[in-house]
Amino acid sequence: MLRFNKTAVLALLIATSSVFLLFQLYHSRQPVSQNGPHIFGRTVHLSGKDAQWQVVKKFMGLVHKYNMPVFLVDTAALGLLSQDSMLLRDSLVKEPHCTFLCTNRDVLTFALLNNLWKYNAGLVAAAEEKGFELLEVRGKDPRLVSMDDLSGNEIPLHFLFRLQGYVVHVVVLYERSGNYLWHGVLRLKPNMDRKFAPFRRLDYGRNAGAYDRPELVLTTLDGLDVRIPRNISGFLTEYSQARFLECRYRDARSFFQLYPDDTSPEAMNFRMKAKALLHLAARILTELRVPFWLSSGTCLGWFRQCGIIPYSKDVDLGIWIKDYRHDITQAFQKAGLPLKHKFGKVEDSLELSFQGLDVKLDIFFFYEETDVVWNGGTQAKSGKKFKYVFPKFTLCWTELMDLKVRVPCETVDYVSANYGPTWNTPVKTWDWKSSPPNVQDNGVWPVREWDEVIQVY
């Protein structure tokens, strides 16, 4: 019968156990192999979402290192955050995951508040150290462009960080004199790589954009600290209506070379009063949440000469009739602008006029039909009705006299409809009943309705 040496057996067991423990310790300190992370002894390759999350994590490391004041503006990510069902489902998942920053798209977009950040040239080297390729797109600074100086310095407008097939797009937001944020068009220079990113699928850059300053909150998304707009649905609504048109300074300078600007004291005084009236009207309508745009002569002045036409003697605004509120008149009167006249009614040809300080404010309400839109006019002494017909248009933002305001995006069509093909030639004698090429007779108000539809004060 075999005899076992208890001491030898014990030594053998201790040696075996030690080898096994050393093997486990080695692998516990080597969590990632060349192929991917080890989980419970099996190799798992990084999924697309995991890879994108790693890219975003590296980008956020750059953000923190260089104190870049960025916040999430990606429409897909914010769309998920605005869905209560997605937030609830995400809260029930316990294991690590990427829900909001990995949106099945190869681009994620942030905005950078330029006024809170000083450009650091070391960013490029730091990005390259982390493996990123960086494309910086610059353009002219519109805040420095004027009719006296059309050159403008170039400023950073967009940064694109690319790694492992994923792109982080950073849109640079600048403060404008109208107290709003602006970003420029993403326009590639001839020597730039047009395949660097899926440019046609970017959320931002096809057009310039204008935004009110959002209130931001710091939150944790997919394990990363990220700032987001507090009012997500409000920001997404702004995004859908953010297109911005710059004043055409070059054309305005050409106009003034043909028709020198009126710098008389009377003209300067009118411009000052018109600016004050426009700012006041904008504040009132914004508080009422009634969208408006520059119309008639005020729109022509912005488009043709980047300013107010001094001989127009009034300020003209347009409002969709669907946005009419019954307390509009009361709000203007409360602000010190008495009602001068009210023509028409909500159902047909409504027009309001308020008296400012030596400057009149005309508000025209626009009605939509199948193929056209129109606003009405009424002759007080005869009750005759007129209709001014325009092609359909959308609305864009612009800046006039230090104020962010809307104008028709299709401005040439709008102005041409109202003033004809010679709109670029000043006309100081103008009959509102017959001069506009888009005016049409629209009948006569029944006498029994005059007390309602013709009110002059």
Side-chain angles (χ1 to χ4, degrees):
M1 185 175 179
L2 294 174
R3 293 175 172 269
F4 291 98
N5 186 320
K6 293 183 179 180
T7 303
V9 171
L10 182 61
L12 179 62
L13 289 174
I14 292 173
T16 303
S17 299
S18 300
V19 170
F20 181 73
L21 288 172
L22 287 171
F23 178 81
Q24 283 191 318
L25 180 61
Y26 172 80
H27 279 279
S28 71
R29 296 175 65 87
Q30 303 288 331
V32 180
S33 71
Q34 292 181 347
N35 297 320
H38 284 76
I39 301 176
F40 302 116
R42 58 187 178 91
T43 299
V44 179
H45 293 272
L46 283 173
S47 69
K49 282 196 171 186
D50 293 329
Q52 187 173 18
W53 184 85
Q54 292 290 346
V55 171
V56 177
K57 181 181 179 182
K58 286 188 175 183
F59 169 75
M60 295 308 296
L62 283 175
V63 164
H64 295 310
K65 181 177 180 179
Y66 285 91
N67 296 316
M68 298 172 68
V70 302
F71 62 98
L72 186 67
V73 294
D74 191 271
T75 58
L78 293 179
L80 293 175
L81 285 168
S82 66
Q83 299 176 23
D84 292 337
S85 58
M86 284 296 300
L87 294 172
L88 176 61
R89 189 169 69 182
D90 183 72
S91 67
L92 298 176
V93 180
K94 301 303 180 185
E95 66 272 10
H97 59 287
C98 186
T99 299
F100 302 106
L101 301 178
C102 307
T103 59
N104 296 320
R105 302 196 303 175
D106 45 8
V107 178
L108 186 68
T109 313
F110 291 84
L112 168 66
L113 296 169
N114 182 74
N115 64 306
L116 300 179
W117 182 66
K118 185 177 180 180
Y119 182 83
N120 190 327
L123 175 65
V124 176
E128 290 176 349
E129 284 181 10
K130 288 183 175 288
F132 283 103
E133 298 173 89
L134 176 61
L135 180 66
E136 179 182 340
V137 180
R138 287 176 167 257
K140 287 185 178 181
D141 187 346
R143 299 168 301 176
L144 302 179
V145 176
S146 67
M147 281 177 283
D148 298 324
D149 182 7
L150 298 175
S151 58
N153 294 329
E154 287 208 336
I155 53 175
L157 298 179
H158 299 265
F159 294 101
L160 294 106
F161 298 81
R162 185 173 69 177
L163 178 62
Q164 297 177 8
Y166 294 98
V167 173
V168 178
H169 179 198
V170 178
V171 185
V172 186
L173 295 177
Y174 290 87
E175 283 190 335
R176 296 285 292 258
S177 57
N179 194 30
Y180 62 94
L181 300 176
W182 168 91
H183 72 76
V185 176
L186 196 162
R187 186 172 290 115
L188 297 177
K189 302 289 176 64
N191 61 336
M192 290 183 172
D193 182 3
R194 279 162 168 70
K195 295 182 179 180
F196 187 90
F199 292 105
R200 292 183 181 275
R201 300 202 303 273
L202 298 182
D203 286 341
Y204 301 80
R206 184 173 292 106
N207 301 295
Y211 295 83
D212 291 333
R213 184 183 304 279
E215 182 183 357
L216 302 177
V217 293
L218 182 63
T219 188
T220 301
L221 297 179
D222 303 331
L224 299 175
D225 291 338
V226 181
R227 284 184 172 79
I228 63 173
R230 179 180 292 277
N231 183 353
I232 292 175
S233 61
F235 182 86
L236 289 175
T237 298
E238 268 200 278
Y239 166 80
S240 68
Q241 304 167 0
R243 184 182 172 191
F244 183 92
L245 298 180
E246 202 67 61
C247 171
R248 308 182 318 147
Y249 285 110
R250 191 175 301 277
D251 294 323
R253 186 164 75 170
S254 298
F255 172 83
F256 284 122
Q257 287 174 348
L258 291 174
Y259 310 101
D261 194 14
D262 185 352
T263 58
S264 66
E266 295 78 14
M268 300 299 288
N269 185 51
F270 170 77
R271 288 192 183 97
M272 180 183 65
K273 292 179 178 178
K275 176 180 177 179
L277 181 60
L278 181 59
H279 277 250
L280 177 57
R283 179 175 63 79
I284 295 168
L285 292 171
T286 300
E287 289 175 356
L288 294 174
R289 297 190 177 183
V290 174
F292 68 94
W293 65 89
L294 304 181
S295 188
S296 302
T298 307
C299 182
L300 175 63
W302 165 78
F303 187 64
R304 187 175 68 188
Q305 55 209 69
C306 297
I308 295 286
I309 300 174
Y311 54 82
S312 60
K313 304 306 179 187
D314 57 18
V315 172
D316 303 309
L317 302 180
I319 295 176
W320 297 116
I321 193 62
K322 62 183 176 63
D323 294 320
Y324 172 77
R325 291 178 46 149
H326 290 281
D327 55 351
I328 285 180
T329 299
Q330 179 183 0
F332 275 91
Q333 291 181 324
K334 186 177 180 181
L337 299 175
L339 184 65
K340 184 176 178 65
H341 70 241
K342 175 185 176 183
F343 294 147
K345 51 188 176 181
V346 175
E347 299 78 16
D348 184 8
S349 304
L350 183 63
E351 174 190 342
L352 299 176
S353 183
F354 299 92
Q355 185 59 56
L357 185 62
D358 299 328
V359 182
K360 184 163 61 77
L361 173 68
D362 290 326
I363 299 179
F364 303 105
F365 290 87
F366 281 67
Y367 299 76
E368 296 186 74
E369 294 184 357
T370 305
D371 300 318
V372 297
V373 299
W374 60 275
N375 71 281
T378 296
Q379 187 178 35
K381 65 180 181 180
S382 67
K384 286 184 178 181
K385 299 168 60 182
F386 301 89
K387 177 187 284 190
Y388 303 85
V389 181
F390 297 82
K392 286 199 166 183
F393 57 87
T394 54
L395 293 175
C396 288
W397 290 107
T398 191
E399 183 176 318
L400 176 65
M401 307 187 87
D402 300 325
L403 182 68
K404 174 191 169 202
V405 289
R406 293 181 179 91
V407 292
C409 300
E410 301 78 10
T411 322
V412 173
D413 295 338
Y414 188 87
V415 168
S416 297
N418 214 179
Y419 296 97
T422 59
W423 55 265
N424 209 32
T425 302
V427 177
K428 296 187 178 182
T429 303
W430 187 261
D431 187 336
W432 62 271
K433 303 181 298 300
S434 59
S435 295
N438 62 336
V439 66
Q440 300 175 5
D441 289 335
N442 196 27
V444 181
W445 289 108
V447 175
R448 65 179 181 276
E449 295 185 15
W450 280 25
D451 287 345
E452 177 190 359
V453 300
I454 303 175
Q455 300 180 20
V456 180
Y457 302 93

